[in-house]
Every structure is written in C-alpha cells, then in structure tokens.
Amino acid sequence: LLGAAWALAPGDARLASTLATALGYAGDVAFRAEVVADALGRGLWRDADQRPSEFDPALASLGGWPEATPSVRACVADLEDAYAARGA
C-alpha cells in the first residue's frame, strides 16, 4: 500500500521517509535503496543517511553538536571508567 502511494506521490518527503523505514524493517534492501535514491534525486533530502519527513532545503544547517564543556567531558570520562571497571 505504501509503495502504491509512493508511486502516486513520489515528491512527498513524509511518505518517502515512511516507506524507506518500512522497507528497512521488512528487509527489502533493494526497494529501500531505490526509494532513497529517488528521494535524493528529487531533492527531498541531502544525504542518504538522513531521511527527515519534513525538510526545507532553504534552511541552513547549524552543524553538528556543540563541543561539550570540560565538566561534561570529565563526567563522561568518569562514567566510562566506572563502566570499564565493572568488566563491561
């Protein structure tokens, strides 16, 4: 049913995202790749690994996550050390 809807409205980013997700869960790698490639070609998304259901190509990216503060980095290091000490 989603495939039929996609055939009727291939420019719908939300539908393409839903279909790609469903195909991934179903294990249909080839059809999923086709949907993603088509969406990229239509400009629905900029990257195959990011498939937002709502995408505005005019909206500038803010980049990645901000750098963690020294206190946050220290806390993460403490947690990682504690986790490693327990043999995990």
Side-chain angles (χ1 to χ4, degrees):
L1 187 58
L2 283 173
W6 177 64
L8 294 172
D12 185 321
R14 185 176 301 247
L15 176 61
S17 177
T18 301
L19 178 57
T21 300
L23 291 170
Y25 286 130
D28 194 338
V29 177
F31 190 19
R32 180 178 179 271
E34 180 184 337
V35 170
V36 171
D38 183 76
L40 288 169
R42 292 176 186 277
L44 300 182
W45 313 311
R46 288 192 178 130
D47 186 292
D49 293 327
Q50 297 176 323
R51 291 176 294 284
S53 57
E54 296 178 18
F55 176 71
D56 182 352
L59 185 61
S61 171
L62 297 176
W65 291 99
E67 182 65 29
T69 63
S71 60
V72 169
R73 286 196 306 269
C75 181
V76 169
D78 288 346
L79 289 171
E80 289 175 343
D81 290 345
Y83 188 74
R86 295 185 193 280

